[in-house]
């Protein structure tokens, strides 16, 4: 297996080369050169997440020395529960928020850190990440106190929840956090500019955003595991409704579908940032300034992974056969939080609520709502809308007690460079 740039002007890379490269030199994003087809019947009944991970991800690695360690990497990555539970006769929920930082990003960040640990670093490296709320804390937790690794987190000032900001800024030591006077798109742009800037080469940058293809690959595993579990139980292919911002998590499901796993329609539940939805409706790609919404981790006006999606589906007709996109307003998010509490007895974060609202408008059965973060991370939004008190998770209580450390910068690479180079 090799990895190629979406823009076709960079050399093909191996798994380890793609991991350390992050962004392609031509400005494109790396993707697998092909998607291996798997026989669904070859997977053991009730296979664990780590077993599925080892079987699937082995097809994306060619380095023998890394394959030897893949079972242990998957065991360390998928060492927390990811429940798939029925909500009613037609709807299930996949809970991705039981990791260390209570959001789905723990899977990709942990796999990346464990992979780098196995591959080793010959000289100091800088892991750089732009975050709209959850990615940064997951990356910080995965790389905290890792030898020869410096972590740089960029988050948009005033656009993350209080709990998220505490998680982003409490680490210290080898983790440095920067509050950017701008949006997530500004943070993401700074990261991309750093990867292409000659003066930053000495920092040996590693991307921990989903622009790094290795961040996305392990996220396929929970979609594959859930689809197999559902199919083995019901004989039907479930559709997935996925809260979507930068599209990395959704892309993981789309790649899993491309490998012939039993996955039906994939629905992208977007907030009021309609860039992706408008593309589905018009066929015109028109990034725009980011809007602030209740589902802040999805506040992205120019999602990077749209480049991978358009590479995979060059025309709108083929795209719409597999995928659709729906925009959800803040008012609809609030109503979905209240309705889910009354209907299912489940309290949802604003992001998961976008998927729940979309489900309420979809016909048919066999839908899986993807729950991406724990509601305790967004208590100020959710608590006034539900009947019961939302308890703060023990892991989040630890973050609350820690001291915040961060610096504020303008939304430019030059502003960051003054403090780091």
């Amino acid at each position: 297996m090799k990895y190629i740039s979406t823009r076709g002007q960079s050399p093909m890379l191996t798994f380890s080369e793609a991991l350390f490269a992050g962004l392609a030199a031509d400005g494109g994003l790396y993707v697998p050169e092909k998607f291996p087809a798997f026989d669904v019947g070859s997977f053991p009944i009730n296979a664990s997440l780590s077993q599925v991970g080892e079987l699937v991800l082995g097809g994306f690695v060619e380095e023998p020395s890394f394959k030897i360690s893949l079972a242990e990497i998957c065991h360390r990555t998928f060492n927390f529960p990811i429940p798939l539970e029925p909500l009613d006769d037609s709807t299930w929920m996949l809970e991705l928020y039981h990791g260390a930082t209570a959001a789905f990003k723990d899977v990709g960040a942990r796999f990346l850190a464990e992979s780098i640990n196995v591959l080793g670093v010959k000289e100091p490296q800088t892991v750089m990440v732009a975050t709209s709320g959850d990615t940064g804390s997951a990356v910080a937790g995965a790389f905290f106190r890792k030898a020869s690794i410096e972590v740089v987190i960029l988050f948009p000032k005033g656009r993350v929840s209080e709990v998220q900001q505490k998680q982003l800024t409490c680490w210290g030591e080898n983790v440095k956090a920067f509050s950017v006077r701008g949006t997530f798109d500004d943070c993401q742009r700074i990261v991309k500019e750093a990867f292409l800037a000659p003066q930053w080469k000495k920092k040996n940058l590693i991307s921990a955003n989903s622009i790094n293809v290795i961040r996305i690959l392990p996220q396929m595993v929970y979609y594959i595991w859930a689809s197999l579990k559902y199919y083995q139980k019901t004989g039907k292919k479930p559709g997935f409704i996925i809260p979507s911002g930068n599209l990395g998590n959704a892309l993981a499901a789309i790649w899993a579908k491309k490998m012939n796993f039993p996955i039906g329609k994939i629905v992208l539940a977007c907030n009021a940032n309609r860039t992706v939805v408008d593309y589905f409706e018009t066929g015109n790609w028109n990034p725009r300034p980011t809007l602030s919404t209740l589902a802040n981790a999805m506040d992205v006006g120019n999602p990077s992974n749209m480049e991978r999606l358009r590479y995979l589906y060059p025309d709108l007709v083929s795209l719409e056969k597999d995928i659709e996109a729906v925009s959800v307003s803040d008012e609809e998010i609030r109503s979905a939080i209240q309705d889910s509490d009354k209907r299912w007895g489940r309290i949802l974060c604003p992001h998961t609520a976008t998927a729940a609202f979309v489900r309420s408008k979809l016909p048919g059965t066999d839908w899986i709502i993807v729950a991406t973060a724990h509601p305790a991370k967004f208590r100020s939004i959710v608590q006034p809308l539900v009947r019961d008190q939302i308890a703060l998770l023990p892991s989040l209580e630890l973050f609350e007690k820690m001291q915040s450390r961060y610096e504020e910068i303008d939304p430019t690479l030059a502003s960051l460079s003054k403090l780091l180079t």
Side-chain angles (χ1 to χ4, degrees):
M1 175 66 73
K2 297 285 188 180
Y3 295 85
I4 58 177
S5 170
T6 51
R7 301 185 186 181
Q9 301 299 314
S10 289
M12 299 173 68
L13 302 182
T14 65
F15 176 93
S16 59
E17 290 170 339
L19 185 157
F20 287 109
L23 191 68
D26 61 7
L29 303 179
Y30 282 107
V31 295
E33 63 174 330
K34 60 184 177 180
F35 291 97
F38 288 88
D39 177 9
V40 172
S42 67
F43 284 77
I45 299 293
N46 297 323
S48 68
L49 280 154
S50 60
Q51 288 173 324
V52 171
E54 183 182 1
L55 288 169
V56 172
L57 297 177
F60 290 85
V61 181
E62 67 177 16
E63 293 100 326
S65 59
F66 188 86
K67 279 193 173 185
I68 292 172
S69 303
L70 188 55
E72 183 61 24
I73 291 172
C74 289
H75 177 73
R76 291 180 180 274
T77 297
F78 298 101
N79 67 348
F80 55 87
I82 299 182
L84 176 65
E85 303 290 346
L87 298 177
D88 56 35
D89 291 341
S90 64
T91 310
W92 291 53
M93 180 170 286
L94 182 64
E95 298 177 1
L96 303 180
Y97 53 72
H98 293 279
T101 65
F104 78 93
K105 301 295 180 73
D106 285 317
V107 169
R110 188 171 301 203
F111 183 85
L112 187 67
E114 294 295 336
S115 298
I116 291 173
N117 186 55
V118 166
L119 293 169
V121 292
K122 297 179 180 179
E123 50 190 24
Q125 307 283 327
T126 298
V127 174
M128 182 177 284
V129 59
T131 183
S132 53
D134 292 321
T135 307
S137 57
V139 170
F143 286 95
F144 184 53
R145 290 177 175 168
K146 294 286 187 182
S148 300
I149 299 286
E150 178 184 54
V151 179
V152 175
I153 300 171
L154 305 177
F155 67 94
K157 178 183 177 182
R159 292 175 180 253
V160 300
S161 74
E162 292 181 10
V163 175
Q164 286 175 316
Q165 178 155 326
K166 176 64 77 167
Q167 285 183 298
L168 293 170
T169 61
C170 67
W171 301 92
E173 298 188 37
N174 68 317
V175 179
K176 297 179 180 179
F178 297 89
S179 176
V180 178
R181 302 181 190 100
T183 66
F184 168 76
D185 294 304
D186 291 314
C187 299
Q188 185 171 247
R189 172 181 47 76
I190 292 170
V191 170
K192 290 182 177 180
E193 288 175 357
F195 271 84
L196 298 176
Q199 66 270 29
W200 277 77
K201 288 188 180 297
K202 64 181 181 181
K203 302 289 286 186
N204 297 315
L205 292 179
I206 299 173
S207 171
N209 281 106
S210 58
I211 61 174
N212 191 326
V213 64
I214 311 306
R215 237 288 312 277
I216 297 177
L217 293 180
Q219 294 175 219
M220 299 187 304
V221 174
Y222 46 72
Y223 289 112
I224 293 168
W225 173 83
S227 70
L228 289 172
K229 186 174 182 180
Y230 193 93
Y231 185 76
Q232 290 166 351
K233 182 178 180 65
T234 68
K236 299 178 180 180
K237 297 180 179 181
F240 286 91
I241 310 168
I242 306 172
S244 301
N246 206 31
L247 296 183
N249 197 24
L251 189 71
I254 294 163
W255 284 358
K257 182 177 175 66
K258 282 292 182 183
M259 292 186 286
N260 296 328
F261 287 101
I263 295 174
K265 195 83 170 184
I266 294 173
V267 183
L268 312 180
C270 305
N271 58 23
N273 290 277
R274 291 183 50 91
T275 311
V276 174
V277 177
D278 288 345
Y279 175 75
F280 273 74
E281 292 180 354
T282 68
N284 297 317
W285 180 238
N286 184 29
R288 63 198 62 186
T290 301
L291 301 175
S292 294
T293 75
L294 296 178
N296 68 279
M298 295 154 52
D299 289 348
V300 185
N302 185 15
S304 288
N305 284 293
M306 196 64 188
E307 180 158 341
R308 287 186 172 115
L309 190 60
R310 295 173 70 191
Y311 177 85
L312 193 61
Y313 294 95
D315 63 88
L316 203 57
V317 173
S318 60
L319 176 66
E320 291 179 329
K321 287 181 180 178
D322 291 343
I323 309 161
E324 60 183 274
V326 181
S327 177
V328 180
S329 69
D330 278 359
E331 181 180 351
E332 291 166 337
I333 289 173
R334 291 188 184 94
S335 70
I337 292 172
Q338 292 176 317
D339 181 63
S340 299
D341 182 29
K342 295 173 184 176
R343 182 179 177 188
W344 296 315
R346 301 296 293 266
I347 299 176
L348 308 181
C349 81
H351 312 81
T352 307
T354 64
F357 182 84
V358 171
R359 172 63 191 105
S360 71
K361 303 301 179 182
L362 290 173
T365 61
D366 305 302
W367 289 106
I368 295 177
I369 292 171
V370 179
T372 54
H374 195 281
K377 299 184 77 167
F378 307 92
R379 284 188 301 170
S380 63
I381 295 171
V382 178
Q383 188 64 76
L385 301 172
V386 298
R387 296 169 293 180
D388 298 325
Q389 288 291 317
I390 302 174
L392 194 62
L393 298 173
S395 60
L396 297 181
E397 285 182 343
L398 291 175
F399 290 118
E400 290 259 309
K401 297 174 183 178
M402 299 169 72
Q403 179 184 355
S404 289
R405 305 175 181 86
Y406 67 93
E407 296 186 75
E408 196 171 304
I409 63 171
D410 290 328
T412 64
L413 180 60
S415 183
L416 179 66
S417 297
K418 289 179 182 178
L419 298 175
L420 287 179
T421 58

